[in-house]
Amino acid sequence: MPLRAVLWDIDDTIFDYAGADRAGMSAHLAAEGLLGRYGSVERALGRWKELTELHWRRYEAGGGDWREQRRDRVRDFLERPGMGAGEADAWFDRYAAHYEAAWRLFPDALPVLDLLARSHRHAVLSNSSVHAQEPKLRALGVRDRFEAVVCAAELGVAKPAPEAFHAACAALGLPPGEVAYVGDQPDIDARGATEAGLVGIWLDRADTGDRPGLTRITGLHQLPGVLRADTRFGAPSTFG
């Protein structure tokens, strides 16, 4: 079966999440007078990421609502468990303003999306929430490139579970064998997609090296060649 569509991860695939996260946290800590609290931006960002993961997993498992998990991240980060909802919301909103000011697409994202629009349909499958990803895609000017935005928080199942990939394929009305998935995580994205019957493609921007059984690219400029070759039939793992 020919590949008729591409499913996309967003964060650190087409959107420079790590860069925006660092720039946003750095600006926010400076504005809040908190640079000295953690000793370095890297240490503060590491703690913020740890808390984000912790509370997002709890939210995915049905523990509280979307806004409450953000409040709990702030309370834990500031070590203020009794912080009121309004104050926590205001703190998070100030952080979000700095973070959103740093939002950028990777330079190779838009040219490849535009090129592939001639030959492939496109949708998003993210392990985040529609609350987070829909506004982001609009702000980045690419929401209209995607027929559907499917997110784990609303599905109730996350990558690498096959059900997540199959739900996104169903949103396109296509069988998994006619869909490729592109993401920056080798196991959650590429291997998960492959095991669900899609063509999984790992975007290894850091060029960390091949992994057995995975199709790897180091930049999105290589993606059209991978799709033309159809990796199911023995194409090499990287394309120049």
Side-chain angles (χ1 to χ4, degrees), residues 10-190:
I10 298 177
D11 296 342
D12 288 324
T13 296
I14 63 170
F15 163 64
D16 186 2
Y17 172 81
D21 204 23
R22 189 188 189 286
M25 180 57 73
S26 179
H28 183 58
L29 291 174
E32 299 287 314
L34 292 173
L35 278 174
R37 182 185 184 101
Y38 284 93
S40 69
V41 173
E42 286 71 23
R43 189 172 298 171
L45 190 55
R47 177 60 173 159
W48 183 249
K49 288 180 177 178
E50 175 187 316
L51 293 170
T52 298
E53 178 76 11
L54 172 68
H55 290 293
W56 188 259
R57 293 295 169 234
R58 179 175 57 83
Y59 168 65
E60 281 185 328
D65 62 23
W66 179 68
R67 188 168 289 275
E68 191 60 30
Q69 61 85 21
R70 301 197 318 182
R71 293 168 183 153
D72 286 341
R73 286 158 62 187
V74 173
R75 290 171 181 135
D76 286 356
F77 186 75
L78 298 176
E79 298 179 345
R80 292 179 56 191
M83 190 179 200
E87 189 178 358
D89 287 342
W91 194 96
F92 190 96
D93 289 344
R94 294 193 299 274
Y95 155 74
H98 292 294
Y99 165 59
E100 291 170 15
W103 283 359
R104 301 288 186 275
L105 292 171
F106 283 107
D108 57 1
L110 196 56
V112 172
L113 284 169
D114 286 344
L115 177 64
L116 292 178
R118 306 171 191 171
S119 55
H120 293 77
R121 298 165 61 193
H122 299 274
V124 163
L125 173 61
S126 167
N127 268 5
S128 182
S129 166
V130 169
H131 292 291
Q133 301 296 38
E134 284 271 9
K136 183 188 296 176
L137 292 171
R138 291 193 188 97
L140 293 168
V142 294
R143 175 60 185 89
D144 62 344
R145 303 301 205 283
F146 304 104
E147 293 182 31
V149 176
V150 179
C151 293
E154 288 74 28
L155 279 178
V157 63
K159 302 175 296 182
E163 293 85 357
F165 294 101
H166 294 165
C169 292
L172 287 166
L174 293 174
E178 295 183 8
V179 181
Y181 188 85
V182 182
D184 67 294
Q185 296 295 317
D187 294 320
I188 291 173
D189 291 329

